[in-house]
DNA sequence: GTTGACAAACTAATAACATTAGTTTATATT
DNA sequence: AATATAAACTAATGTTATTAGTTTGTCAAC
């Protein structure tokens, strides 16, 4: 019996490669080598490299979405918001390659990607409900939170800052600051 | 007389390529074609592709730094902070490829990159002086602002959100929210 | 059990890329 | 005018992704 090479197995190996060696290091040659087949044989399972990259992005988004949901279960308000933000950052810390795959999907308008993204957004909208923001304002806030997460991801990757001031703390303070700003604006 | 191919000319053409066709499209082959020389001749001017990418990142950072400084001249406090944030976003909007080059520098710990980065940071520290934050707190705030900028850059590139709510507005609201949060925290 | 179909492997070949080595040529300096 | 040097060139190599065409293994129907 041959070794079963499934779509799942391919994604699995791809995930390991990007997380361990970086997004750029995911080549069909390397992938084939790990799977112990010749490069062109991969085309029986994927349609091309970009296709694989998109699937990897979906794969990543699914995991991230799951982790985010988990982190918010049983929490509300500020606490839930901050939890979600930290979960996002934590995910990228543990899965740098996957996070990259998400941000660098060749086709970000891909149907499946959009679907999961909007799931995440509607969950965030629910968390924001107690604040009674206008729908438009809520969207602004959600985008701000996402921007903070993605931005810290970028900063972390580039590294090289003053380590007397740990990045962890900055992340925590930044979320607190943003959330406080949101609440203060409401009370006016 | 031959056409003069200077380091500056190479950076110039590289900049055009990345801004018009995307960061990935900067290849030595394409660069050589535009400059009307053969690919290997480029090695008389640069040491390799990664070297060029690093230089492009420096080039980008210099421009960004300049624009940011300009935007803050004659302004103070909240107004200055928001100006700087918007200038950052504006720069990336006008120079998507260059902004990418900045974020994807092969060697982010590069000496020159660090130098310009720390210049920007010390300028931001000066802008924050009137608030009398602790040095540590100021660093957190600066990182938060940078994260917001970089994050919105990422979001803008990926596009595909509800355009009933313009991204411009979200950016503005996010900066306001963050700055308000900072001030509120102080007053306690 | 043999046959036949299909999936999934293979080999061979091509085109785009970065990079190195070795050679020629043009310009500027002595 | 002679020569040194910078900067172009050609030729070659190794790594990619990708396509076409072929073989082979497995499973189901007969």
């Amino acid at each position: 019996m041959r070794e079963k090479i499934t779509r799942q197995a391919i994604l699995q190996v791809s995930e390991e490669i990007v997380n361990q060696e970086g997004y750029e290091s995911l080549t069909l040659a390397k992938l084939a080598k790990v799977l112990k087949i010749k490069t062109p044989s991969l085309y029986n399972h994927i349609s091309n490299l970009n296709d694989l990259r998109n699937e990897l992005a979906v794969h990543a988004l699914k995991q991230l979405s799951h982790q985010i949901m988990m982190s918010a279960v049983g929490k509300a308000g500020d606490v839930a918001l901050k939890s979600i933000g930290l979960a996002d950052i934590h995910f990228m810390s543990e899965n740098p390659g996957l996070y990259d795959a998400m941000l660098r999907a060749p086709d970000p308008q891909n149907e499946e990607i959009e679907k999961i993204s909007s799931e995440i957004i509607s969950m965030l909208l629910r968390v924001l409900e107690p604040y009674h923001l206008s729908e438009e304002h809520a969207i602004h806030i959600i985008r701000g939170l996402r921007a903070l997460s993605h931005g810290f991801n970028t900063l972390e990757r580039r590294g090289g800052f003053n380590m007397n001031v740990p990045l962890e703390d900055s992340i925590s303070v930044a979320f607190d600051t943003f959330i406080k700003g949101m609440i203060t604006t409401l009370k006016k």
Side-chain angles (χ1 to χ4, degrees), chain A residues 13-47:
Chain A
V13 174
S14 299
E15 173 177 336
E16 281 162 20
I17 293 175
V18 296
N19 274 340
Q20 285 165 26
E21 307 176 39
Y23 186 68
E24 321 266 359
S25 295
L26 175 61
T27 69
L28 296 186
K30 186 168 284 173
L31 188 52
K33 195 166 199 173
V34 175
L35 292 168
K36 296 210 238 301
I37 58 177
K38 304 294 171 185
T39 309
S41 304
L42 283 171
Y43 285 80
N44 287 315
H45 305 281
I46 60 173
S47 58

Side-chain angles (χ1 to χ4, degrees), chain A residues 113-140:
Chain A
I113 292 181
E114 302 241 306
K115 191 178 123 246
I116 307 176
S117 298
S118 64
E119 270 174 33
I120 296 182
I121 289 180
S122 60
M123 181 206 56
L124 284 168
L125 281 174
R126 271 201 303 283
V127 173
L128 285 177
E129 259 172 24
Y131 297 104
H132 300 95
L133 306 172
S134 72
E135 188 176 339
E136 187 173 327
H137 196 171
I139 297 282
H140 293 325

Side-chain angles (χ1 to χ4, degrees), chain A residues 82 86 152 167-178:
Chain A
K82 191 170 176 190
L86 295 185
F152 273 116
L167 191 61
E168 307 284 321
D169 295 359
S170 298
I171 291 169
S172 182
V173 169
F175 277 107
D176 287 339
T177 302
F178 190 82

Side-chain angles (χ1 to χ4, degrees), chain A residues 4-109:
Chain A
K4 262 281 171 57
I5 291 182
T6 68
R7 227 174 172 73
Q8 270 312 308
I10 290 179
L11 279 177
Q12 164 89 31
V13 174
S14 299
E15 173 177 336
E16 281 162 20
I17 293 175
V18 296
N19 274 340
Q20 285 165 26
E21 307 176 39
Y23 186 68
E24 321 266 359
S25 295
L26 175 61
T27 69
L28 296 186
K30 186 168 284 173
L31 188 52
K33 195 166 199 173
V34 175
L35 292 168
K36 296 210 238 301
I37 58 177
K38 304 294 171 185
T39 309
S41 304
L42 283 171
Y43 285 80
N44 287 315
H45 305 281
I46 60 173
S47 58
N48 55 48
L49 178 59
N50 272 350
D51 174 57
L52 174 63
R53 286 175 171 160
N54 275 323
E55 285 206 46
L56 196 58
V58 172
H59 183 66
L61 208 47
K62 276 181 186 163
Q63 289 192 35
L64 173 61
S65 167
H66 184 250
Q67 304 242 138
I68 281 182
M69 304 265 177
M70 296 289 288
S71 79
V73 165
K75 292 177 183 148
D78 313 7
V79 179
L81 281 183
K82 191 170 176 190
S83 251
I84 290 172
L86 295 185
D88 191 13
I89 304 261
H90 183 254
F91 178 80
M92 81 85 195
S93 220
E94 303 269 301
N95 307 279
L98 266 191
Y99 202 95
D100 247 29
M102 234 173 62
L103 298 184
R104 289 163 74 166
D107 173 23
Q109 263 97 47

